[in-house]
Amino acid sequence: MSLDRGSVLALTLALVVAFSILARASFVHATSTYFEEVLETMMSTQMVDGLSIVHIFAPQSATTLNFTSNLDPVARSFPYSLLPGQLYQGQSISLSTNGSFDSILGIYGHATSGQIGPQTWSAGGTIRWVGDPTGQVHTTVVIGGKIFHVTGSLEFEPSSGAGRSTGMFTFTGSPSGPGGAGPFGPYPGTDAFLLGQWEYTVQVPPNPLVPDEGVLFSRGNVPFPNGGPGNFEVHIAPVPEPSMLLLLGSSLAGLGGFVWRRQRRK
């Protein structure tokens, strides 16, 4: 079969358009630097840890947990751990998470070990970034032989050292647990970061596992843009505290406004 000149031109144009679409789908993810991607992955993993604590042990009193971290954008890793000597609901608590990128599978994996009082837990999960980019979160938590799951979807908007994301998280409990298996959620989460400083919040409405409305609030920093040792705190409260929400709202508004202005100038 032969093609006339018009058909050849039409086919060529169609191929150019198709390759342009494929190129955008393949390379738009490159708009985020490894620093931004690893930071966003670490923040999301922190929220998974926080949701597990809230649902399994309940936020009976306002608590702030303090962590140290070490973000490495070259190795694409993000270990972090609780500072020693802290309490949760009057019991000693420890937690350590190691996160890294699997270049073969193209996903971030993380493993967590921890203990609250006599109860130990382990967790493992993944976050996969694709497209422009969006993330899929899957984590399994095991405590006392009972299995729990946290899943989520994220929309990430990086912008040259700044960015923000929105997401939804769902917790699935144990069938033998006091509130049943659920699922519980999805819970909305939002964050904003600027030059290595960030804030992240997730709202948890009342449900059988969390009788009172809860809020998770994470705030921290790591050196920009080369990474290194940093720190952050996770605030867990049974109800949104007006002073905390006012601080969060003003801080996120400032960070979000900065990101929006930078995107407008592009």
Side-chain angles (χ1 to χ4, degrees), residues 22 75 86 122 128 134-135 195 205 217 221 242 252:
L22 289 174
Q86 299 184 74
S122 62
R128 180 188 297 272
T134 61
L195 304 180
F217 171 69
N221 63 83
L252 287 181

Side-chain angles (χ1 to χ4, degrees), residues 195-220:
L195 304 180
Q197 300 186 56
W198 79 85
E199 295 184 346
Y200 205 133
T201 184
V202 174
Q203 295 286 342
V204 182
N207 62 61
L209 289 182
V210 186
D212 297 316
E213 184 175 5
V215 61
L216 296 175
F217 171 69
S218 173
R219 174 172 51 203

Side-chain angles (χ1 to χ4, degrees), residues 139-226:
T139 296
T140 298
V141 182
V142 180
I143 298 181
K146 296 181 179 180
I147 299 176
F148 309 86
H149 298 280
V150 180
T151 58
S153 60
L154 307 168
E155 295 288 339
F156 177 31
E157 302 175 22
S159 179
S160 301
R164 60 186 177 185
S165 76
T166 57
M168 303 296 290
F169 296 88
T170 299
F171 181 89
T172 304
S174 169
S176 59
F184 303 98
Y187 307 128
T190 58
D191 75 64
F193 66 85
L194 172 63
L195 304 180
Q197 300 186 56
W198 79 85
E199 295 184 346
Y200 205 133
T201 184
V202 174
Q203 295 286 342
V204 182
N207 62 61
L209 289 182
V210 186
D212 297 316
E213 184 175 5
V215 61
L216 296 175
F217 171 69
S218 173
R219 174 172 51 203
N221 63 83
V222 292
F224 175 85
N226 297 319

